[in-house]
Structure formats: C-alpha cells, structure tokens
Amino acid sequence: MFASLRYAGWQDRAGHYLRGLMLDGRRKSIQPMAARLRGPHEQALNHFVTNSPWDVTPVR
C-alpha cells in the first residue's frame, strides 16, 4: 500500500498517520495525533497529510 510513497521517510510517516487514526483521541487533528504518537514532529505529519502524492488505487 505504501509502495507509491517514494520520498525519504514518507512510508514511515504513513505508518505513524495510520496508527494515529486508530488510537484513542481526536483523529482528525494533526497536533493531538502527533503528541500521542511520540514519533513524528507535528509539522512532518501535517506535511505528509497535505502533500503526499500517493496512488489511491492500492489504498482503496
């Protein structure tokens, strides 16, 4: 599913983002999600969500 993410670190950020969606708490806000994850910086996670050129076909 993450094969279309070719930039360095974006596959890791995808994993962090999916984990953040599944954890308890506010799921649509990047700031609390990044705070819960203890991994990516809020800015890196926000950049991933707003700019990732993933292919939607494998995700669907």
Side-chain angles (χ1 to χ4, degrees), residues 8-60:
W10 283 25
Q11 290 184 359
D12 290 336
R13 290 180 194 155
H16 287 298
Y17 179 66
L18 291 177
R19 257 182 260 121
L21 289 175
M22 292 184 275
L23 291 173
D24 289 336
R26 296 176 60 193
R27 290 175 176 81
K28 294 184 181 182
S29 297
I30 296 296
Q31 185 177 18
M33 186 185 298
R36 283 193 311 270
L37 291 171
R38 298 184 204 161
H41 296 286
E42 177 186 344
Q43 183 178 3
L45 198 57
N46 187 42
H47 181 72
F48 168 77
V49 170
T50 58
N51 296 311
S52 288
W54 53 57
D55 182 12
V56 298
T57 305
V59 176
R60 288 185 183 160

